[in-house]
Structures are given as C-alpha cells and as structure tokens.
Amino acid sequence: MNRSERISISTKGFTSFMKGKTVHACVMRLSVHSAVNALMNKFYKKIYVSVGGAGI
C-alpha cells in the first residue's frame, strides 16, 4: 500500500467519522428538544389547570 492509498483511506474514515458525529449531534439535539417540549407541555398544562380551577 503506497502513501496516497493510505491518505485516501484515512480521509474516508475521517469523513465517515465526522458524518457519524453530525448525525449523533442532530439526534441528541432532537431528543433534547423533544424532552424540553414535553416538560414545557406538562408545565403549561399544570398552570392552565390551576388557573382554570381558580375560575379565571
């Protein structure tokens, strides 16, 4: 295996690694976002129920 072959293989590995990282980051961001949304929904429902219960 000569030098250029080795470089191309390492570059391929690096790009696939970076792609994996980006996909992972996107998935993490999405899951965090959905978790935050769920929490906010619960919170707002609680506020809404308590306000509604107060007759406002």
Side-chain angles (χ1 to χ4, degrees):
M1 183 158 65
N2 59 19
R3 208 178 120 90
S4 59
E5 274 180 318
R6 201 175 292 133
I7 288 171
S8 75
I9 285 170
S10 63
T11 317
K12 244 181 234 163
F14 183 68
T15 45
S16 65
F17 173 72
M18 287 308 285
K19 266 186 198 151
K21 288 282 265 194
T22 2
V23 167
H24 185 68
C26 283
V27 167
M28 285 297 287
R29 197 169 290 139
L30 275 175
S31 61
V32 166
H33 193 67
S34 59
V36 167
N37 270 350
L39 277 176
M40 290 302 276
N41 280 343
K42 270 187 193 164
F43 192 61
Y44 278 129
K45 273 187 188 137
K46 263 189 192 154
I47 289 174
Y48 189 72
V49 166
S50 58
V51 166
I56 296 170

